[in-house]
Amino acid sequence: MNQLLNYILLKREAHLFDAKLYIIKSLAAVFTAYAIVPYLPLVHKDLISVLFGLMMTLEPVTVTGIRSGINQIISTLLGAVVTAIIISVFGINIWTVAISISATLFLCLKINWREVSPVAIFTSIYMTQYVQYTASGEQSIVLTFLIRILSLGIGVLTAIIFNFLFSMFFYKKMERKRIAHSLLTIADHMKQVKIGIEGCSLEPIYQVKESLPGTFHSIDWLSSLIKDKEKEAKMIKKISFHNNDMKINSYHNVLGGLRNITHLIYDTIYILTSPINDLNEYNRKAIASRLDEIINECDNMAANYEKGLIKYTNQVQQEQLSTACDNRIDNNLAGIQELLNLIKGTHSIK
């Protein structure tokens, strides 16, 4: 029965990322947009852009959603202008469709060579495949663009309103839950390293090495999200609303500690997987014992963060990383333990 429930219900990770709340907010936002659109004649022609823009803009933090919406509008303008110029001169045919998309790709890469905006590409395709007609039956590029930008704007605006409303009353434990997820991820990394050391096998350790970049990214993403929430808190304060979780600066210290712990894990893995080393050379029992302590500490801290059993404190322990260890692996493990102590000094247990 428990296995069936686990298969049907969302996983713990989804709970830590407020998945249920996201589903409820999506439901309410889509319902509202769908109900409003019939009263907007032009926008009613393009419900796809409304819903697509809405879902792309839903975020747990209002400022993050606003930034996402602005990026969508800019990308839409880019794709629309490029495509409009090409099809205005040469019409819509196999060549202009291909050239419009390629030109949009070129400009996206010119602006930011690391990524291509899917919204810009979608708009480029939209301008050639969803062409609107005037009352006289003629194709109108201007009308097509106008409907696209208006529909997108309505979707983005609806999402921003719901982002703001939900952030006012929910997401109060967002930071704590996602820090709990990071701690659980670190604990999982340590468990895999322990399995490799005890079994004298490098395969589990290599698996951790491959997954560590994702952990770095998750911590940096959460740091960016918290910075946006700081901006949102200031905005809420200015319009005289009360926010029950204004003391979020301390989370930066926690994330800094988690980032450093991840670096130490990576360095430990680098040592263990070095061609000149052999796992048999290490005191595997002693290392496994130290890892057990760290794993238990991470699991306990994650549970406290998840349940909200912490309180803000201005007292941060000023411990220095130990340098009295016999070797680099011991030094790394001691450093991880002391960083966890620093995190506990930032947020004490209630």
Side-chain angles (χ1 to χ4, degrees):
M1 184 62 180
N2 289 334
Q3 289 182 345
L4 178 62
L5 289 175
N6 289 334
Y7 181 78
I8 296 173
L9 299 177
L10 294 173
K11 295 183 178 179
R12 185 184 182 187
E13 290 82 359
H15 166 70
L16 293 175
F17 279 81
D18 295 301
K20 291 180 182 178
L21 191 57
Y22 176 69
I23 292 171
I24 293 170
K25 181 165 69 171
S26 300
L27 174 68
V30 170
F31 182 88
T32 302
Y34 205 96
I36 291 173
V37 164
Y39 298 97
L40 305 171
L42 280 179
V43 176
H44 188 55
K45 295 176 178 288
D46 186 18
L47 186 58
I48 292 175
S49 291
V50 175
L51 298 181
F52 183 74
L54 185 154
M55 294 305 300
M56 291 281 287
T57 312
L58 286 178
E59 295 285 351
V61 180
T62 307
V63 173
T64 310
I66 292 172
R67 185 186 302 114
S68 174
I70 292 172
N71 288 339
Q72 286 189 72
I73 291 171
I74 293 173
S75 298
T76 295
L77 290 172
L78 174 66
V81 170
V82 170
T83 306
I85 292 172
I86 293 172
I87 63 178
S88 294
V89 177
F90 301 104
I92 299 174
N93 54 61
I94 187 172
W95 292 103
T96 55
V97 172
I99 292 170
S100 297
I101 294 173
S102 299
T104 303
L105 280 171
F106 173 79
L107 284 179
C108 286
L109 293 171
K110 183 69 175 177
I111 294 169
N112 182 0
W113 65 271
R114 291 181 179 274
E115 61 178 329
V116 173
S117 170
V119 177
I121 300 302
F122 174 79
T123 302
S124 181
I125 297 170
Y126 176 99
M127 291 290 291
T128 61
Q129 303 301 310
Y130 206 69
V131 181
Q132 299 296 318
Y133 292 84
T134 63
S136 60
E138 296 180 354
Q139 290 184 343
S140 175
I141 297 171
V142 174
L143 182 60
T144 303
F145 168 74
L146 183 61
I147 290 176
R148 165 64 179 157
I149 199 70
L150 283 176
S151 300
L152 177 66
I154 292 296
V156 168
L157 180 61
T158 303
I160 290 172
I161 291 171
F162 274 88
N163 286 340
F164 179 76
L165 292 175
F166 272 70
S167 67
M168 289 294 302
F169 303 104
F170 306 103
Y171 293 109
K172 303 304 180 184
K173 297 179 181 180
M174 182 191 74
E175 301 92 345
R176 297 199 293 269
K177 285 183 178 180
R178 300 189 186 197
I179 286 172
H181 178 266
S182 295
L183 285 164
L184 289 173
T185 302
I186 288 171
D188 287 340
H189 291 333
M190 294 287 92
K191 289 173 186 175
Q192 287 296 105
V193 173
K194 180 189 172 188
I195 290 171
I197 289 174
E198 288 182 330
C200 205
S201 171
L202 289 176
E203 184 177 349
I205 300 175
Y206 276 122
Q207 290 176 359
V208 176
K209 187 176 182 180
E210 292 175 358
S211 61
L212 275 174
T215 305
F216 278 114
H217 176 74
S218 295
I219 293 172
D220 288 340
W221 173 76
L222 179 54
S223 178
S224 175
L225 202 63
I226 290 176
K227 288 178 182 177
D228 283 347
K229 193 164 185 181
E230 285 179 315
K231 296 175 184 177
E232 180 183 84
K234 293 177 182 178
M235 179 177 67
I236 291 173
K237 188 175 181 181
K238 285 181 180 179
I239 60 176
S240 301
F241 280 92
H242 180 63
N243 190 328
N244 292 323
D245 199 10
M246 298 287 282
K247 296 178 180 178
I248 56 181
N249 290 331
S250 61
Y251 290 113
H252 292 302
N253 295 327
V254 174
L255 292 174
L258 292 175
R259 192 179 290 108
N260 289 335
I261 287 172
T262 310
H263 280 291
L264 290 173
I265 294 173
Y266 190 90
D267 188 64
T268 300
I269 290 172
Y270 174 80
I271 299 164
L272 292 172
T273 57
S274 175
I276 63 173
N277 292 330
D278 187 344
L279 290 177
N280 287 311
E281 296 176 358
Y282 297 104
N283 186 344
R284 289 182 284 143
K285 186 176 180 180
I287 295 175
S289 177
R290 294 288 295 276
L291 287 171
D292 265 335
E293 294 176 8
I294 293 170
I295 291 167
N296 290 332
E297 188 72 41
C298 287
D299 284 338
N300 291 334
M301 289 174 65
N304 289 328
Y305 272 92
E306 182 179 356
K307 296 175 182 177
L309 299 177
I310 59 168
K311 64 180 180 180
Y312 176 81
T313 175
N314 288 318
Q315 296 179 354
V316 180
Q317 299 177 22
Q318 298 297 324
E319 299 182 43
Q320 297 295 323
L321 298 184
S322 173
T323 57
C325 299
D326 294 334
N327 59 58
R328 192 162 152 191
I329 291 178
D330 284 342
N331 192 40
N332 285 345
L333 297 179
I336 291 172
Q337 186 66 60
E338 292 179 15
L339 284 166
L340 290 173
N341 290 336
L342 287 173
I343 292 173
K344 285 195 294 184
T346 302
H347 286 121
S348 61
I349 306 301
K350 288 184 179 178

